[in-house]
Amino acid sequence: MKTLKYNPLKTSTLFFYVIIIATLITSCTKTNGPLAFGDKAIISFKIIKSNGVLLDTASVHVEIRSDSIFFTVPAATDITNLTPVIEIKGVSLSPASGVPQDFSSPVKYTVKGSDGSSRVYTVMVKRAIDNYIFFGASNKIMYALDAVDGHLIWSYTSNGWFSYSSPTVWQNIVYAGSTDNSMYAFDAATGKVLWTFATNQAIESSPAIANGILYFGSDDNSLYAVDALTGKLKWTHATGFNIGSSPTIVNGAVYVGSDDFNLYAFDAVTGNVKWTFTAGSIFNASSPVVVDGVLFIGNRDGNLYAIDAATGSLKWKYYNGGISMEQSSPTVNNGVVYIGGWYNISNFSIKGSVYAVNAQTGKLLWKALDSLAFGSSPVIAGGNLYIAADDLNLYSLNASTGNINWKVQIIPNGASPAIADGVVYVGGGGTGYYYALDAATGKEKWKYPIPMGLSVSSPCIIGVDGSVYHPGVSGEYN
């Protein structure tokens, strides 16, 4: 969702899907019923470091599933020489417990049962990334910074811009699209490229993930579903034009808008079309949000649409007089839909506002910051709304009234903010910095230089407790 683009009427939004990192449960191990798998199951998994010391259970996260184990270790741990201590229910384990392994790549363990059958577990060890922030810029660089003080942890330079497709994180892997036509998967701790997936044109759609499948659109007119661990294609489906909108996955359906004027609902497993809804113009960068069975999305035709997510039928639409809502993704909080208006495409001297609309009726509750254009998506935290405007300022508004709390001039150039642990993170591409601001006051906590990065994606933030933060479907944070 940038206002700088090789096609000024085709820009990309920065919309994110909420993802939760596996958390520590009883004795640092979360198990999804391993004892239910008969007499061939891994029931405990611990690790000894190369110095012979058992990893402190308070500093690791373990998740044991039916066919995989995710083990997160402190960021400084050498994962190339770790010795697992494994307890099983079964006859044998291969490789055996107590044998050192290089876990920089997944390691497969086979548990054999008494009947001769076996179960294979894929064990993935990742370094912790607490207090990391990830974002991309138009200088072709993907960044990982320390969210506390802003120092650089790693960076990666590609052949295209990372500024349109905002990153997301799952199982300590960072996913981000580039205008070099590729979707990237990075090791979140090191920046190592784990895999890339090529499409036929630039990727401006931000990726979303559910059940181990990564979904994203491309300017080659197609929506893609790929295996999030391997990058292998699951399915793809063509639409009639570019997909700059970012997908949302809810209850087994993938929702995404296209520039062919259609909003699509796909079956998340098969890619089959469940329904389509046709609007009066392109959806472009506005991405769908689904709350309580209702989908909300903005369109160039000046409408904010509310659509039944199960059937695709229109519930209501709010018309703002013809100002495009194609650049802002809605946020829903406490029964209110918030969205920014861009420009009137027929007359670019007419600009938009921030709109607050009743989620049930479509009635306008308030509008604020009139005659400003918004290529940014709003985000709600602590009863306040944060959004960037084309007057070079980032604003904090009272979400109930629209009154201004504070504004800071950072030249955000369409970048959407995200908030974690009381801090607003946002790119000031026009100033050449990435900013961390106090959410209550707007006071600068730190800024990091991004040379030649005129436009910047929205960030994905790993908080102090390991949770992943970016704008969620409810407008709140997890």
Side-chain angles (χ1 to χ4, degrees):
M1 167 199 49
K2 300 293 177 184
T3 54
L4 176 71
K5 180 82 168 64
Y6 37 82
N7 178 351
L9 297 185
K10 176 70 179 68
T11 60
S12 179
T13 194
L14 305 172
F15 174 76
F16 299 87
Y17 187 76
V18 177
I19 310 160
I20 308 300
I21 287 182
T23 54
L24 184 62
I25 299 181
T26 307
S27 300
C28 86
T29 300
K30 175 182 177 181
T31 61
N32 291 338
L35 295 180
F37 305 129
D39 64 347
K40 49 180 186 297
I42 291 177
I43 60 177
S44 175
F45 191 96
K46 299 179 181 180
I47 282 183
I48 297 174
K49 296 189 292 185
S50 58
N51 61 4
V53 176
L54 184 71
L55 277 172
D56 179 10
T57 58
S59 66
V60 299
H61 298 259
V62 183
E63 182 179 355
I64 300 178
R65 298 182 178 179
S66 61
D67 60 358
S68 56
I69 297 175
F70 297 95
F71 199 101
T72 304
V73 298
T77 305
D78 177 9
I79 64 174
T80 64
N81 185 20
L82 298 175
T83 302
V85 178
I86 307 170
E87 182 182 356
I88 68 169
K89 183 180 181 184
V91 174
S92 64
L93 175 70
S94 178
S97 173
V99 176
Q101 300 287 343
D102 178 356
F103 284 102
S104 58
S105 298
V107 176
K108 292 187 180 296
Y109 283 85
T110 302
V111 183
K112 183 175 288 187
S114 59
D115 61 356
S117 63
S118 60
R119 178 177 297 276
V120 177
Y121 289 82
T122 300
V123 178
M124 286 159 280
V125 177
K126 299 293 182 181
R127 299 181 181 91
I129 51 173
D130 296 356
N131 290 321
Y132 279 31
I133 174 174
F134 305 97
F135 63 90
S138 57
N139 58 8
K140 304 181 180 181
I141 299 176
M142 175 60 61
Y143 292 91
L145 305 183
D146 185 293
V148 176
D149 61 18
H151 77 263
L152 179 68
I153 296 170
W154 59 259
S155 64
Y156 175 87
T157 303
S158 76
N159 293 318
W161 292 13
F162 284 109
S163 52
Y164 297 117
S165 175
S166 295
T168 194
V169 175
W170 177 76
Q171 297 297 353
N172 285 35
I173 302 173
V174 180
Y175 303 93
S178 170
T179 59
D180 69 2
N181 307 350
S182 296
M183 178 60 64
Y184 287 80
F186 300 96
D187 182 287
T190 66
K192 176 185 176 182
V193 176
L194 303 177
W195 55 257
T196 61
F197 181 92
T199 67
N200 296 314
Q201 291 191 39
I203 298 174
E204 301 179 90
S205 170
S206 299
I209 192 166
N211 298 319
I213 301 177
L214 191 74
Y215 303 89
F216 56 91
S218 170
D219 283 358
D220 67 8
N221 308 343
S222 294
L223 181 73
Y224 291 88
V226 303
D227 186 290
L229 292 178
T230 66
K232 301 298 183 183
L233 179 67
K234 292 283 190 179
W235 56 260
T236 184
H237 199 291
T239 68
F241 214 73
N242 298 353
I243 300 179
S245 176
S246 302
T248 292
I249 307 100
V250 179
N251 294 332
V254 184
Y255 303 96
V256 71
S258 171
D259 284 6
D260 66 3
F261 293 21
N262 288 316
L263 174 70
Y264 291 85
F266 297 97
D267 184 282
V269 175
T270 66
N272 293 334
V273 176
K274 297 168 74 72
W275 55 255
T276 61
F277 173 87
T278 303
S281 189
I282 67 175
F283 287 99
N284 197 355
S286 190
S287 301
V289 172
V290 179
V291 177
D292 295 331
V294 181
L295 182 151
F296 304 92
I297 191 169
N299 189 274
R300 178 178 283 188
D301 65 11
N303 284 300
L304 168 65
Y305 287 96
I307 298 164
D308 187 293
T311 65
S313 61
L314 178 67
K315 296 184 75 69
W316 55 255
K317 59 183 178 181
Y318 168 74
Y319 182 65
N320 65 10
I323 296 166
S324 172
M325 294 192 187
E326 69 189 87
Q327 293 297 329
S328 187
S329 298
T331 287
V332 184
N333 182 262
N334 289 332
V336 181
V337 187
Y338 302 91
I339 193 170
W342 194 39
Y343 291 88
N344 186 310
I345 300 301
S346 300
N347 184 352
F348 269 76
S349 66
I350 302 175
K351 301 180 180 181
S353 303
V354 176
Y355 306 91
V357 179
N358 185 291
Q360 290 188 338
T361 66
K363 180 182 178 181
L364 180 68
L365 300 175
W366 58 256
K367 65 187 182 83
L369 304 179
D370 292 339
S371 300
L372 293 178
F374 296 90
S376 169
S377 298
V379 63
I380 306 291
N384 296 314
L385 179 151
Y386 302 85
I387 193 169
D390 76 341
D391 67 348
L392 314 183
N393 289 304
L394 175 74
Y395 286 87
S396 169
L397 307 179
N398 182 297
S400 298
T401 65
N403 294 333
I404 298 174
N405 297 319
W406 54 257
K407 65 178 181 178
V408 177
Q409 187 174 96
I410 59 171
I411 316 181
N413 195 28
S416 294
I419 303 173
D421 304 317
V423 181
V424 183
Y425 299 90
V426 64
T431 57
Y433 288 98
Y434 214 94
Y435 292 89
L437 308 172
D438 184 280
T441 65
K443 182 178 180 180
E444 181 183 307
K445 299 179 74 70
W446 56 256
K447 62 183 179 181
Y448 180 84
I450 42 174
M452 304 301 291
L454 185 59
S455 60
V456 185
S457 73
S458 277
C460 182
I461 309 148
I462 313 300
V464 295
D465 61 353
S467 297
V468 181
Y469 294 79
H470 43 51
V473 297
S474 68
E476 297 179 332
Y477 290 80
N478 295 287

